[in-house]
Amino acid sequence: MVEYLDETTKFNGIYLRRIREGETLYWIPDPQHYAKPGYYLPFELPLFYNPMMEINRDLSIIALATFLRVSDKEPEEITYIELLAGTGIRGFRVLNEVGLLNVIMNDINPKCVKFMHFNAKYFSPEIQSRATILNYEANHLLSSIRLWKKPIDAIDIDPFGTPTPFIDSAVRILKRRTGLLLITATDTSALIGKFPQSARRKYGVYTKITPFGGEIAIRTLIHYALNTATKYGIALKPLFGFFLMHFIKIALITIPGRRVADKFLWDRSGWIAIEDDKIHILGKPKNTPKGDLIGPIWLGPIYDEEFVNETLNIINKLPIDKKSKTKIETWLKAELKTALIPFYYNIELIASKLRRTTPRIKDVINELQKQGYIAERTHFHPKAIKTNASLEVIQKIVKKL
């Protein structure tokens, strides 16, 4: 959890408070000064800072630290762009907690840029020398960087709303081989199917509300990114994906080549049909999609075994919040065990339709494992499990318990 300290100051007419997030001390607009009862805190602040998104920033730290390990590079060999930096806390956390990467922090708001320069003075000369703070429109920055003729190792896209306006430009400047792309989306209502027209307009997907909204949302975002990269003969391989609170976070790595890009897009993406809480994976339907068909979405694994195992090896050494660390570690272990099993079953919903009391999720999992099935919890829903058992088997267990 973010720790609010007693130190306060004022900069450019903004009341500030010192905080500790992860292992990093930072100044933010003082919530105690600006907060109003009944209002959403980040929007009350003169510069946007959301303490609830600490776990999102933790995931960036984890992904970059793992990326360093698997790429076998020194921090100073890596260039990382925080495309929409806001207060800049993520970029300075990367420098302070991951290593002395070459970090570019960019924001279109000149107030944010001044604020990042103000905070920079409180860090060591080594960190200051590795931080480049810029004031560009995001796509203009990415287009300008192409002129450097030096591909970027890692890019973090974390907008308010959809990330789709920035993915194309980001893919074009990432290294074609082993470039890391981190994408956050906060327009979760569209991605889970609550607003189908919005989802189709932004992501090119036919979708609707289903019991599997969280996972369909991640698979939609992965497919959109992959489809974008394929235009340039680049595949994007998912490393992990999370649907947490009010945001989605995915990590992908680039693989060059038109053939592999085509294979990822055509062999691992497709359509699903939902019937009586069952998911039928169709691949490519012959007719125009309608009714309960959803797609196109990513149908391959969301979690990469090698990358996640390396994350699990180092996560306890990283200076992030202990509660966040425990949650992420637990989720990754469970998701890795069921990485080849698409979608999940909502036990609460199944019990409700059977007019039974919802059994303990732990008991359902134990019974499935006794019968020889793979069964684990999933972070997508607290009352859901991932398993290779059929719906009929689960219904029998729910009735029995």
Side-chain angles (χ1 to χ4, degrees):
M1 295 291 291
V2 175
E3 181 183 357
Y4 294 91
L5 307 177
D6 292 333
E7 295 177 72
T8 59
T9 190
K10 199 173 180 181
F11 170 72
N12 270 15
I14 301 174
Y15 291 90
L16 306 179
R17 180 167 295 276
R18 192 84 150 147
I19 63 164
R20 178 180 285 106
E21 185 177 294
E23 201 176 62
T24 302
L25 295 172
Y26 209 73
W27 291 101
I28 64 162
D30 188 358
Q32 295 183 22
H33 180 84
Y34 293 104
K36 298 174 185 175
Y39 288 82
Y40 183 48
L41 174 62
F43 291 122
E44 299 171 57
L45 303 178
L47 296 173
F48 191 88
Y49 170 77
N50 190 349
M52 297 298 293
M53 293 293 270
E54 179 187 10
I55 194 167
N56 184 336
R57 295 183 283 271
D58 290 341
L59 287 169
S60 292
I61 299 298
I62 289 168
L64 285 164
T66 307
F67 178 65
L68 275 174
R69 289 286 292 266
V70 299
S71 62
D72 198 28
K73 290 184 178 180
E74 296 300 320
E76 57 269 20
E77 298 177 81
I78 300 293
T79 299
Y80 160 78
I81 298 178
E82 187 185 7
L83 191 59
L84 305 144
T87 61
I89 187 168
R90 188 192 319 255
F92 282 109
R93 281 193 63 188
V94 168
L95 285 164
N96 192 48
E97 298 172 27
V98 178
L100 294 176
L101 288 69
N102 299 299
V103 173
I104 298 172
M105 290 172 275
N106 174 72
D107 203 277
I108 195 172
N109 187 343
K111 290 183 180 178
C112 290
V113 173
K114 290 178 182 177
F115 190 70
M116 285 186 271
H117 279 294
F118 168 80
N119 265 294
K121 295 184 294 185
Y122 290 84
F123 289 91
S124 69
E126 291 80 12
I127 285 179
Q128 291 184 47
S129 69
R130 291 288 180 175
T132 301
I133 300 169
L134 300 176
N135 179 205
Y136 287 91
E137 188 278 326
N139 281 312
H140 177 63
L141 170 69
L142 295 174
S143 297
S144 300
I145 287 177
R146 288 188 70 198
L147 301 177
W148 297 1
K149 296 183 179 179
K150 182 182 178 183
I152 301 301
D153 300 277
I155 299 176
D156 211 322
I157 305 173
D158 185 1
F160 181 74
T162 179
T164 55
F166 313 106
I167 293 174
D168 190 291
S169 298
V171 166
R172 285 187 290 161
I173 69 162
L174 265 178
K175 284 191 172 178
R176 294 176 64 86
R177 186 180 301 277
T178 64
L180 178 67
L181 182 60
L182 303 172
I183 305 175
T184 298
T186 57
D187 58 334
T188 54
S189 294
L191 283 162
I192 65 171
K194 187 175 181 181
F195 301 111
Q197 288 300 107
S198 178
R200 190 172 174 193
R201 184 175 64 253
K202 295 175 184 175
Y203 298 98
V205 62
Y206 289 82
T207 190
K208 58 177 284 185
I209 285 286
T210 73
F212 319 99
E215 186 166 343
I216 287 173
I218 283 183
R219 293 182 179 278
T220 296
L221 184 56
I222 291 172
H223 178 269
Y224 180 89
L226 175 60
N227 191 44
T228 301
T230 301
K231 293 187 296 185
Y232 304 107
I234 300 170
L236 289 174
K237 182 181 181 181
L239 302 176
F240 67 67
F242 286 100
F243 188 107
L244 303 173
M245 298 181 292
H246 303 295
F247 73 91
I248 293 168
K249 178 92 165 190
I250 61 173
L252 311 108
I253 200 159
T254 57
I255 304 173
R258 286 174 294 178
R259 288 184 181 178
V260 67
D262 288 345
K263 185 177 178 61
F264 270 49
L265 185 63
W266 297 111
D267 293 355
R268 301 191 185 184
S269 292
W271 297 76
I272 61 172
I274 298 175
E275 180 186 13
D276 298 328
D277 295 336
K278 287 183 182 178
I279 285 188
H280 304 281
I281 296 176
L282 305 178
K284 307 295 182 296
K286 294 180 181 178
N287 301 319
T288 302
K290 59 183 179 179
D292 288 335
L293 285 180
I294 290 175
I297 61 174
W298 172 253
L299 296 174
I302 295 172
Y303 301 88
D304 179 73
E305 184 176 1
E306 180 186 358
F307 193 88
V308 172
N309 277 327
E310 193 58 50
T311 296
L312 292 171
N313 287 336
I314 67 170
I315 191 168
N316 287 314
K317 300 173 185 176
L318 298 176
I320 61 177
D321 178 73
K322 188 176 180 180
K323 286 186 178 179
S324 293
K325 192 182 298 186
T326 301
K327 285 180 182 178
I328 294 168
E329 183 179 19
T330 301
W331 293 331
L332 284 175
K333 285 179 178 178
E335 300 293 356
L336 194 58
K337 290 177 183 176
T338 57
L340 299 179
I341 300 174
F343 304 106
Y344 52 87
Y345 293 101
N346 185 325
I347 303 303
E348 186 175 50
L349 184 62
I350 291 171
S352 175
K353 290 188 175 183
L354 293 172
R355 298 185 179 181
R356 300 295 177 100
T357 302
T358 305
R360 292 197 311 168
I361 305 301
K362 184 179 179 180
D363 292 341
V364 178
I365 290 173
N366 288 341
E367 186 61 32
L368 284 166
Q369 290 175 344
K370 280 181 187 177
Q371 295 184 27
Y373 295 105
I374 299 170
E376 295 288 340
R377 285 183 177 271
T378 175
H379 84 278
F380 287 112
H381 195 285
K383 297 293 184 180
I385 61 171
K386 283 207 164 197
T387 178
N388 57 348
S390 67
L391 176 61
E392 290 75 16
V393 169
I394 295 169
Q395 288 172 331
K396 287 180 183 178
I397 291 173
V398 169
K399 289 177 182 178
K400 174 183 173 182
L401 295 174

